[in-house]
Amino acid sequence: MSVKSTVIIQKEDEWYVATALESGVASQGRTMEESLNNLREALELYFEDNVPEQNNDSVFITTMEVMV
């Protein structure tokens, strides 16, 4: 079985932090690729003990800029 996750990556100092929004699982790495690989491993471990819910809803993510 495979599970899709929506992931956000944020740069914090020298680290990239990748977070799966649906589960709240997060991991980090010195590069974006490393943070995603570490998150993939963390999610695999997470789903060993947590059965994922089937969710077929579409997720739309965008950015927005406002004048301040």
Side-chain angles (χ1 to χ4, degrees):
M1 173 190 347
S2 67
V3 177
K4 288 185 181 182
S5 291
T6 307
V7 177
I8 186 169
I9 302 172
Q10 296 174 292
K11 178 122 182 187
E12 296 182 8
D13 297 322
E14 300 298 315
W15 295 92
Y16 289 91
V17 179
T19 305
L21 298 181
E22 293 83 359
S23 63
V25 174
S27 194
Q28 64 184 14
R30 294 237 180 238
T31 65
M32 282 196 280
E33 183 179 358
E34 183 180 14
S35 70
L36 287 171
N37 287 336
N38 291 342
L39 179 61
R40 180 175 286 110
E41 183 178 337
L43 285 169
E44 288 169 352
L45 293 171
Y46 174 81
F47 286 122
E48 283 181 3
D49 296 328
N50 298 282
V51 177
E53 294 180 18
Q54 292 294 352
N55 186 350
N56 295 328
D57 295 341
S58 296
V59 176
F60 300 95
I61 298 177
T62 189
T63 59
M64 179 182 296
E65 183 175 345
V66 296
M67 299 298 292
V68 292

